[in-house]
Amino acid sequence: MTKWLLAAGVLMPLYSAQATQDPEAVYNRVCGACHSGQLPMAPERGDQEAWTPRLAKGMGTLVQHVTQGFKAMPPRGLCMDCSAEDYQAIILWMSESKPGP
């Protein structure tokens, strides 16, 4: 029983980590400048063809690319107040299908 409680105590913070910012608000404030079609290499929101190979690399890799910068992506995606959890939430939000009209 003690081992289970110890394991739960260690893993609980990993499951309770949440983004502190609204993904759509951050996208509109920072990400949309490049990811709304201005830069052809930046995948647009909901573009499944562009996002699928990126997501296949794993969320850890994508967050690392945003945090450190990767190709045309500037370090931290120019969001200086975003956490790793924020980046993950934004990536998930951007990679989902666009809502219908």
Side-chain angles (χ1 to χ4, degrees), residues 31-87:
C31 310
C34 297
H35 287 274
S36 61
Q38 281 69 13
L39 294 178
M41 68 287 276
E44 292 184 52
R45 177 173 177 239
D47 182 349
Q48 298 298 307
E49 188 176 331
W51 279 106
T52 298
R54 288 170 170 85
L55 292 169
K57 294 177 182 180
M59 186 58 70
T61 297
L62 293 177
V63 170
Q64 181 180 14
H65 286 171
V66 176
T67 305
Q68 297 177 0
F70 183 74
K71 296 185 180 180
M73 170 69 82
R76 302 195 58 80
L78 299 179
C79 184
M80 300 307 152
D81 62 342
C82 287
S83 66
E85 292 81 14
D86 291 324
Y87 292 129

